[in-house]
Amino acid sequence: MCDGINDDVTLLFYENVDVVDYEETRKLFMAWTGCRDKRGLTICLFDMKYLTSNLGSFKKSCDFSSIAQPTPTGLPSAVTLRAVAVFEGMVRFVWPLCSRIRKRPNRVIVTGAPSYLPRLWIWAKDWIDPLTASKLMMPTEDEVLPILATYIDAANIPKKYEGEYGFEHGRQPDLDPAIDEIIDWLAPCSSSFPAGSMKLVFSSIGMRLAAAAGSIDGTQRTLLAGIVHPDRLVTTQSDDAAGGANKM
């Protein structure tokens, strides 16, 4: 049975997912920009409009992907496996890389919602657990930039929200200088991670390595992208603070 993230099925799939399949899925779902907020937490974008307008073609591509073969009863579909693999990448690689061990979103900021939704949320959040409610924000159009600026430097706020960051949906992460600083890159990588799924592993002498997972044309990859030095990572977040990703 597949119980969701980190079960044997999804972990095995993540280790072997085709690079092309993974990249197509990553571009559709939650995207790590490569930036961090003022506390050092990862910044992710999830564009619901982009998802809904491209979901049909994505499902069709799954029918012809490398994992389109029928699966036994109880196992997830190709669509589900590929979607979970992208989130698995956040849990297994991005969050530990950027902000040490962080496995859940710290704050979700919903922008572009219908005008009635923020007003409805003001009423509804009083009925929700205060800690959970504090993590979800639905600013009005005039409130978006001031709220984002509270948590994120202008250089890391996408231009579509009146910031300075030239984010383009689907492109590879543009690494925060602080993240680039903790990595000693190994050829052929020089300043960015290769496409496809990634993982953090330890060498026989205890070095932490950024390694490529997944496969190309059915052959599992063995590429090492760089040596990771977490002790170099500077963050202002306290150790007992709830961690994760900021999503917009």
Side-chain angles (χ1 to χ4, degrees):
M1 293 294 291
C2 176
D3 298 318
I5 204 74
N6 284 327
D7 64 33
D8 292 341
V9 174
T10 53
L11 287 176
L12 179 62
F13 178 71
Y14 186 78
E15 291 286 347
N16 295 278
V17 59
D18 183 81
V19 170
V20 174
D21 289 349
Y22 184 89
E23 283 300 307
E24 182 183 30
T25 311
R26 181 190 65 80
K27 293 174 182 178
L28 187 66
F29 292 97
M30 183 171 63
W32 173 42
T33 65
C35 302
R36 301 191 304 160
D37 70 4
K38 293 179 180 179
R39 293 198 299 163
L41 299 179
T42 52
I43 300 174
C44 300
L45 290 177
F46 182 84
D47 191 329
M48 182 60 73
K49 183 178 180 181
Y50 184 89
L51 171 64
T52 54
S53 61
N54 291 277
L55 189 57
S57 58
F58 170 72
K59 288 182 177 179
K60 289 181 180 179
S61 76
C62 287
D63 293 337
F64 299 96
S65 73
S66 59
I67 54 169
Q69 66 272 15
T71 55
T73 302
L75 293 184
S77 66
V79 172
T80 301
L81 276 174
R82 286 171 60 171
V84 170
V86 171
F87 185 72
E88 187 79 26
M90 298 298 299
V91 172
R92 296 191 67 196
F93 184 70
V94 175
W95 291 348
L97 176 73
C98 297
S99 50
R100 302 197 174 96
I101 303 175
R102 307 298 181 196
K103 293 190 176 182
R104 60 189 183 276
N106 173 260
R107 181 169 289 103
V108 177
I109 303 174
V110 180
T111 64
S115 58
Y116 65 84
L117 201 56
R119 294 194 295 270
L120 180 62
W121 173 241
I122 292 175
W123 172 82
K125 68 180 182 180
D126 291 335
W127 298 83
I128 300 174
D129 172 71
L131 180 59
T132 301
S134 68
K135 293 178 179 290
L136 178 61
M137 307 179 73
M138 292 188 186
T140 62
E141 184 176 354
D142 293 337
E143 295 172 333
V144 171
L145 181 59
I147 286 180
L148 291 179
T150 301
Y151 304 103
I152 305 172
D153 292 326
N156 294 327
I157 297 176
K159 290 181 178 179
K160 67 180 295 184
Y161 304 117
E162 301 184 49
E164 302 172 4
Y165 183 61
F167 175 78
E168 296 178 9
H169 196 87
R171 78 177 187 184
Q172 289 293 326
D174 184 10
L175 293 184
D176 183 301
I179 300 300
D180 184 67
E181 182 65 26
I182 71 172
I183 301 170
D184 291 338
W185 296 99
L186 301 174
C189 301
S190 59
S191 61
S192 62
F193 297 113
S197 56
M198 296 289 298
K199 59 184 178 180
L200 291 173
V201 299
F202 287 93
S203 71
S204 59
I205 59 174
M207 289 192 302
R208 182 173 293 188
L209 304 170
S215 62
I216 298 177
D217 296 330
T219 301
Q220 194 167 25
R221 299 192 295 176
T222 57
L223 176 67
L224 295 178
I227 303 171
V228 180
H229 301 274
D231 55 300
R232 299 179 187 171
L233 185 62
V234 177
T235 177
T236 59
Q237 185 183 27
S238 61
D239 292 338
D240 58 351
N246 292 292
K247 295 192 288 184
M248 293 178 283

